[in-house]
Every structure is written in C-alpha cells, then in structure tokens.
Amino acid sequence: MIKREKYLKQIRGFYDSDLIKVIVGIRRSGKSFILQQIMDEIKQKTDNIIYLNFERTSDYLKASDSNELVKYINENKTAGKCYIFLDEIQEVKDWHLAVKDLRLDNNSIFITGSNSKLLSSEITSYLSGRYVSFRIRPFVYKEIMELGKELNFNIDLNDYLVWGGMPGRFYLNHDEQITYLKDLEATIVYNDLIRRYRIQKVVAFKKIVKFILQNNSRIFSARSIQKYLKDECESISLMTVLKYIQYLKEAYIIDAISQYSKRTKKELAYYEKIYNSDVCFNSLSVTNNRYDLDHNLENIVYNELLYMGYEVKVYNNNSKEVDFYANKDGKEYYIQVAYSVVDPEAYEREFNAFIGLNPLSQKILITNDSIDYSTSIVKHIQFKDFLLLESLD
C-alpha cells in the first residue's frame, strides 16, 4: 500500500495531542491502512501501542462496551504515553464515554468509523473541544498512479471513469475486481444499512438506493424518487425516502452538496446535488457496458477537488447552474464539467453558464476533449491534465 501522505500530513501534527483523532469515511476506503501507517511512524519512538479492530470478532469480544474498553486499555498499556488505535469504534457500545476518560490518562487516541453518527450532535456535544476529525476517501488518480508504479501496473482514464478508486480492487485482476466491487456494494451499501437501521421495506430500500447511485451528479429530488417508486408499483412515503437517503449520507456512500447564490449570499436549502463516494456504485448497475461516463466524469472532478482541499458548492448564476463554485484560501473558481463540448449545443450550454459572472473571477471548463477550447474568459483544462494538478492555480 502506498503512503497516503496527503492525509498523514493533516494528522501528523496531532500524534502527541490529547485531542481524540477521529478518522471517518466509507468502509474499505483505506482508514485501517492510514491507522497502520500512523502506527508505523509512532513505532519509531515507542512500542507502547494498543490496536483493536472491532470488525474482528476476537477484538470485539475483548471490549464490546465502554467499561470493558477502559479496563482492557488500562490492563495492557505500559508506563508513559500510550498510543491507542480503535478501528470501527462505532461497534462498541457507549464508546464515547470510554475515550473521553482515556484521553485524560496520558493517552493519545485514534479512532475510525464508517458512519457519520460517530460525530452526531449528541456525541460531538459530549466531546466538545476534545477531538479533531479527518475524512478519508477512496483513491484519486494521482494515488492510483503511485500505486501502479509500486505494483507495476497501468490504469487508463476509462478504467478510472468506470470503476473508480476503491483501494482493494487494485490488488486483483480485472474479473476479480468486478466480483470484489459487487461484494463490496452488497455489503456496505445494502446489507450493512439494512442491518444497522433494521429496515423492513427491503425491496423499496434497494430500489431507492439503486436509483440514487445510478443518478449521481444530478439534482436531488425526493419527490422524483417517490414518483419513480410509484411507477414501479411501490408505495412509500416521502419521509421514508428522505430517511433512506440520510442513511446513505451517514455511511459516506453519497455526498449531497447545496446550491449557493451570491445574490442572496446564502445556501439554498431546498436544492441538493448528489455525488457518489466512488463512481463504481454507478457503473455496477449498468448493463450492456453503457457506462455513464459524462456524469461519472463530473463525479470524479468533485472528488478530486475535495482531495485538493477545495470547499465545493453548486452555483446559481441567475438560474443557470454552474457545476462547481470552489474556493480555498480566499480564491474562488467557477467550474463547468462535461465529457465533451464537440457538439455545438454542449459547447453553448457549458459556456453560457459563465455569462454574467464577475469578469475578474477564474472560470474553468474541464472536459475529456483533446482540443483546447480556452477563450479569453474561460480556461479549458483537459481531464487527463486536471487529474495531475495539485491545485487550480
């Protein structure tokens, strides 16, 4: 596994802090590997380290609730600062009670979780001022290239556009990768959520999830999903649809970003756009190899922008949608994304979205075209070049 320095750099300054280091993200995105890499660095100065992975039955049986966890740690640590790593901590009952107390006893605590309820309002209130959090995502293209050099394989852009960056797949051949991703989807998207939330309407839930994952990089409308289910002969309330969507968000399977209007200087709460944590969840449901490269490309640009450290929203330009309003360190960018603008209608649609914006602002068009469509106003970046950027500057 490559060293994921982008994340380690963010966390490294907190190694000796008494703040609880909370590492979150979708399952199988590499959180455990991040923990292992942190432990490897800390082992250079001490072996006073305790690691428990609560997805393993043997570890869970050692400490399944807060009292058992505190007891286990105190019985197994040695004198001096102890570094405690607790993987998938949400499996432990009342875990926050344990880590709140353990952090006061000369311990440095690292925890991972694959559910955003790990940082629910109740728990964050309880741990107020006592933690820092870090979101881990599947591989971006630069990381895949780095892994390719390490394992001696090449990956082309179409493979990334279709099958994304879930780390585990790159250690398998192509046929094994598809099986792995299907099993991953069945486990973390369906079975885990059905079990965790005790979902009764399983058929309706699966249809809703499939519909959402197939419609990434699009405007979210709970009512349109409800209508889709009605057409499929499934009757379900709007509140249930919203609840199921929230489950996907909590498991970091999807992100929903809001629309921002500079005219009102606020986010428009009624508007959200859905992006998958990894585009494989769109491609797995495709038949006849008719992959949705256009929306997957936009989804990947979203994930890559987050990796670069940008805050991202959809932008409302006088009722014209600009795909991304990205900002970092006070610099603003307006970004349109399309698979291609060779077609005149696509060209007009993408460029018209920029009309009326501040002429001094940076406007960027990202496409998979090899022709340079840059103008005096808009900078065109080829998708393959965008994937190698460290920033938009």
mmCIF file of all heavy atoms in Angstrom, residues 78-100:
data_model
loop_
_atom_site.group_PDB
_atom_site.id
_atom_site.type_symbol
_atom_site.label_atom_id
_atom_site.label_comp_id
_atom_site.label_asym_id
_atom_site.label_seq_id
_atom_site.Cartn_x
_atom_site.Cartn_y
_atom_site.Cartn_z
ATOM 1 N N THR A 78 1.516 0.275 29.056
ATOM 2 C CA THR A 78 2.666 0.360 29.951
ATOM 3 C C THR A 78 2.847 1.807 30.384
ATOM 4 O O THR A 78 2.108 2.700 29.961
ATOM 5 C CB THR A 78 3.929 -0.157 29.251
ATOM 6 O OG1 THR A 78 4.164 0.616 28.065
ATOM 7 C CG2 THR A 78 3.773 -1.616 28.873
ATOM 8 N N ALA A 79 3.830 2.051 31.220
ATOM 9 C CA ALA A 79 4.048 3.398 31.756
ATOM 10 C C ALA A 79 4.407 4.364 30.631
ATOM 11 O O ALA A 79 5.017 3.981 29.631
ATOM 12 C CB ALA A 79 5.157 3.367 32.804
ATOM 13 N N GLY A 80 4.032 5.615 30.808
ATOM 14 C CA GLY A 80 4.309 6.629 29.806
ATOM 15 C C GLY A 80 3.139 6.788 28.849
ATOM 16 O O GLY A 80 2.094 6.143 28.979
ATOM 17 N N LYS A 81 3.315 7.661 27.860
ATOM 18 C CA LYS A 81 2.231 7.927 26.915
ATOM 19 C C LYS A 81 1.926 6.671 26.097
ATOM 20 O O LYS A 81 2.817 6.053 25.533
ATOM 21 C CB LYS A 81 2.582 9.085 25.979
ATOM 22 C CG LYS A 81 1.458 9.432 24.990
ATOM 23 C CD LYS A 81 1.800 10.614 24.136
ATOM 24 C CE LYS A 81 1.657 11.906 24.895
ATOM 25 N NZ LYS A 81 0.238 12.220 25.187
ATOM 26 N N CYS A 82 0.666 6.338 26.070
ATOM 27 C CA CYS A 82 0.207 5.178 25.294
ATOM 28 C C CYS A 82 -0.573 5.677 24.077
ATOM 29 O O CYS A 82 -1.388 6.605 24.178
ATOM 30 C CB CYS A 82 -0.682 4.277 26.145
ATOM 31 S SG CYS A 82 -1.261 2.786 25.288
ATOM 32 N N TYR A 83 -0.311 5.041 22.945
ATOM 33 C CA TYR A 83 -0.986 5.398 21.701
ATOM 34 C C TYR A 83 -2.029 4.320 21.410
ATOM 35 O O TYR A 83 -1.689 3.149 21.217
ATOM 36 C CB TYR A 83 0.025 5.527 20.568
ATOM 37 C CG TYR A 83 1.019 6.641 20.802
ATOM 38 C CD1 TYR A 83 2.148 6.433 21.592
ATOM 39 C CD2 TYR A 83 0.807 7.915 20.273
ATOM 40 C CE1 TYR A 83 3.049 7.460 21.841
ATOM 41 C CE2 TYR A 83 1.708 8.940 20.500
ATOM 42 C CZ TYR A 83 2.831 8.709 21.288
ATOM 43 O OH TYR A 83 3.713 9.731 21.524
ATOM 44 N N ILE A 84 -3.286 4.726 21.391
ATOM 45 C CA ILE A 84 -4.407 3.793 21.315
ATOM 46 C C ILE A 84 -5.110 3.954 19.968
ATOM 47 O O ILE A 84 -5.537 5.059 19.606
ATOM 48 C CB ILE A 84 -5.399 4.041 22.462
ATOM 49 C CG1 ILE A 84 -4.689 3.893 23.823
ATOM 50 C CG2 ILE A 84 -6.593 3.098 22.365
ATOM 51 C CD1 ILE A 84 -5.514 4.384 24.988
ATOM 52 N N PHE A 85 -5.249 2.843 19.243
ATOM 53 C CA PHE A 85 -5.882 2.843 17.927
ATOM 54 C C PHE A 85 -7.114 1.945 17.971
ATOM 55 O O PHE A 85 -6.999 0.742 18.224
ATOM 56 C CB PHE A 85 -4.894 2.358 16.872
ATOM 57 C CG PHE A 85 -3.701 3.263 16.710
ATOM 58 C CD1 PHE A 85 -2.602 3.141 17.559
ATOM 59 C CD2 PHE A 85 -3.686 4.241 15.731
ATOM 60 C CE1 PHE A 85 -1.508 3.983 17.423
ATOM 61 C CE2 PHE A 85 -2.586 5.088 15.588
ATOM 62 C CZ PHE A 85 -1.502 4.955 16.426
ATOM 63 N N LEU A 86 -8.270 2.535 17.711
ATOM 64 C CA LEU A 86 -9.539 1.824 17.822
ATOM 65 C C LEU A 86 -10.256 1.903 16.484
ATOM 66 O O LEU A 86 -10.802 2.940 16.104
ATOM 67 C CB LEU A 86 -10.389 2.427 18.942
ATOM 68 C CG LEU A 86 -9.687 2.532 20.312
ATOM 69 C CD1 LEU A 86 -10.544 3.317 21.299
ATOM 70 C CD2 LEU A 86 -9.367 1.142 20.850
ATOM 71 N N ASP A 87 -10.253 0.781 15.757
ATOM 72 C CA ASP A 87 -10.752 0.730 14.386
ATOM 73 C C ASP A 87 -12.225 0.341 14.364
ATOM 74 O O ASP A 87 -12.618 -0.642 14.989
ATOM 75 C CB ASP A 87 -9.922 -0.292 13.602
ATOM 76 C CG ASP A 87 -9.761 0.072 12.142
ATOM 77 O OD1 ASP A 87 -10.448 0.994 11.680
ATOM 78 O OD2 ASP A 87 -8.945 -0.583 11.469
ATOM 79 N N GLU A 88 -13.048 1.106 13.620
ATOM 80 C CA GLU A 88 -14.503 0.904 13.533
ATOM 81 C C GLU A 88 -15.124 0.920 14.935
ATOM 82 O O GLU A 88 -15.854 0.011 15.349
ATOM 83 C CB GLU A 88 -14.831 -0.384 12.777
ATOM 84 C CG GLU A 88 -14.350 -0.377 11.337
ATOM 85 C CD GLU A 88 -15.015 0.674 10.450
ATOM 86 O OE1 GLU A 88 -16.021 1.277 10.887
ATOM 87 O OE2 GLU A 88 -14.509 0.911 9.343
ATOM 88 N N ILE A 89 -14.871 1.994 15.630
ATOM 89 C CA ILE A 89 -15.247 2.153 17.032
ATOM 90 C C ILE A 89 -16.759 2.160 17.247
ATOM 91 O O ILE A 89 -17.241 1.880 18.353
ATOM 92 C CB ILE A 89 -14.624 3.464 17.596
ATOM 93 C CG1 ILE A 89 -14.794 3.587 19.105
ATOM 94 C CG2 ILE A 89 -15.248 4.675 16.917
ATOM 95 C CD1 ILE A 89 -14.023 2.591 19.895
ATOM 96 N N GLN A 90 -17.546 2.458 16.195
ATOM 97 C CA GLN A 90 -18.996 2.550 16.372
ATOM 98 C C GLN A 90 -19.619 1.231 16.814
ATOM 99 O O GLN A 90 -20.753 1.199 17.277
ATOM 100 C CB GLN A 90 -19.672 3.037 15.087
ATOM 101 C CG GLN A 90 -19.760 2.030 13.958
ATOM 102 C CD GLN A 90 -18.515 2.011 13.088
ATOM 103 O OE1 GLN A 90 -17.625 2.836 13.252
ATOM 104 N NE2 GLN A 90 -18.450 1.068 12.171
ATOM 105 N N GLU A 91 -18.861 0.126 16.690
ATOM 106 C CA GLU A 91 -19.383 -1.172 17.116
ATOM 107 C C GLU A 91 -19.403 -1.317 18.642
ATOM 108 O O GLU A 91 -20.045 -2.210 19.176
ATOM 109 C CB GLU A 91 -18.541 -2.304 16.514
ATOM 110 C CG GLU A 91 -18.455 -2.295 14.993
ATOM 111 C CD GLU A 91 -19.798 -2.471 14.332
ATOM 112 O OE1 GLU A 91 -20.683 -3.122 14.930
ATOM 113 O OE2 GLU A 91 -19.976 -1.951 13.212
ATOM 114 N N VAL A 92 -18.683 -0.437 19.335
ATOM 115 C CA VAL A 92 -18.574 -0.520 20.794
ATOM 116 C C VAL A 92 -19.657 0.337 21.449
ATOM 117 O O VAL A 92 -19.781 1.532 21.152
ATOM 118 C CB VAL A 92 -17.181 -0.047 21.273
ATOM 119 C CG1 VAL A 92 -17.096 -0.056 22.799
ATOM 120 C CG2 VAL A 92 -16.098 -0.922 20.660
ATOM 121 N N LYS A 93 -20.422 -0.265 22.300
ATOM 122 C CA LYS A 93 -21.499 0.460 22.978
ATOM 123 C C LYS A 93 -20.937 1.572 23.865
ATOM 124 O O LYS A 93 -20.011 1.355 24.646
ATOM 125 C CB LYS A 93 -22.328 -0.522 23.830
ATOM 126 C CG LYS A 93 -23.516 0.136 24.523
ATOM 127 C CD LYS A 93 -24.298 -0.887 25.353
ATOM 128 C CE LYS A 93 -25.456 -0.216 26.069
ATOM 129 N NZ LYS A 93 -26.203 -1.172 26.922
ATOM 130 N N ASP A 94 -21.482 2.774 23.699
ATOM 131 C CA ASP A 94 -21.088 3.944 24.509
ATOM 132 C C ASP A 94 -19.590 4.217 24.444
ATOM 133 O O ASP A 94 -18.964 4.609 25.427
ATOM 134 C CB ASP A 94 -21.517 3.758 25.967
ATOM 135 C CG ASP A 94 -23.023 3.707 26.138
ATOM 136 O OD1 ASP A 94 -23.727 4.345 25.338
ATOM 137 O OD2 ASP A 94 -23.480 3.012 27.053
ATOM 138 N N TRP A 95 -19.003 4.032 23.249
ATOM 139 C CA TRP A 95 -17.554 4.208 23.082
ATOM 140 C C TRP A 95 -17.087 5.595 23.507
ATOM 141 O O TRP A 95 -15.976 5.748 24.011
ATOM 142 C CB TRP A 95 -17.160 3.960 21.624
ATOM 143 C CG TRP A 95 -17.792 4.933 20.659
ATOM 144 C CD1 TRP A 95 -18.946 4.775 19.969
ATOM 145 C CD2 TRP A 95 -17.293 6.228 20.312
ATOM 146 N NE1 TRP A 95 -19.219 5.873 19.213
ATOM 147 C CE2 TRP A 95 -18.209 6.786 19.394
ATOM 148 C CE3 TRP A 95 -16.166 6.969 20.682
ATOM 149 C CZ2 TRP A 95 -18.054 8.061 18.848
ATOM 150 C CZ3 TRP A 95 -15.992 8.233 20.133
ATOM 151 C CH2 TRP A 95 -16.916 8.774 19.227
ATOM 152 N N HIS A 96 -17.940 6.603 23.293
ATOM 153 C CA HIS A 96 -17.521 7.973 23.600
ATOM 154 C C HIS A 96 -17.268 8.177 25.089
ATOM 155 O O HIS A 96 -16.444 9.013 25.472
ATOM 156 C CB HIS A 96 -18.564 8.978 23.097
ATOM 157 C CG HIS A 96 -19.950 8.735 23.616
ATOM 158 N ND1 HIS A 96 -20.736 7.694 23.184
ATOM 159 C CD2 HIS A 96 -20.681 9.403 24.541
ATOM 160 C CE1 HIS A 96 -21.904 7.736 23.800
ATOM 161 N NE2 HIS A 96 -21.893 8.748 24.640
ATOM 162 N N LEU A 97 -17.953 7.401 25.936
ATOM 163 C CA LEU A 97 -17.703 7.511 27.379
ATOM 164 C C LEU A 97 -16.295 7.027 27.704
ATOM 165 O O LEU A 97 -15.607 7.607 28.557
ATOM 166 C CB LEU A 97 -18.730 6.682 28.147
ATOM 167 C CG LEU A 97 -20.211 7.042 27.937
ATOM 168 C CD1 LEU A 97 -21.096 6.098 28.748
ATOM 169 C CD2 LEU A 97 -20.464 8.490 28.330
ATOM 170 N N ALA A 98 -15.860 5.983 26.995
ATOM 171 C CA ALA A 98 -14.531 5.429 27.251
ATOM 172 C C ALA A 98 -13.436 6.377 26.781
ATOM 173 O O ALA A 98 -12.503 6.680 27.526
ATOM 174 C CB ALA A 98 -14.389 4.064 26.571
ATOM 175 N N VAL A 99 -13.536 6.858 25.541
ATOM 176 C CA VAL A 99 -12.441 7.671 25.008
ATOM 177 C C VAL A 99 -12.357 9.020 25.716
ATOM 178 O O VAL A 99 -11.265 9.597 25.847
ATOM 179 C CB VAL A 99 -12.566 7.862 23.476
ATOM 180 C CG1 VAL A 99 -12.504 6.531 22.764
ATOM 181 C CG2 VAL A 99 -13.836 8.613 23.101
ATOM 182 N N LYS A 100 -13.489 9.520 26.195
ATOM 183 C CA LYS A 100 -13.462 10.785 26.932
ATOM 184 C C LYS A 100 -12.613 10.655 28.188
ATOM 185 O O LYS A 100 -11.830 11.561 28.539
ATOM 186 C CB LYS A 100 -14.878 11.211 27.309
ATOM 187 C CG LYS A 100 -14.952 12.503 28.141
ATOM 188 C CD LYS A 100 -16.389 12.881 28.388
ATOM 189 C CE LYS A 100 -16.467 14.105 29.306
ATOM 190 N NZ LYS A 100 -16.081 13.788 30.685
#
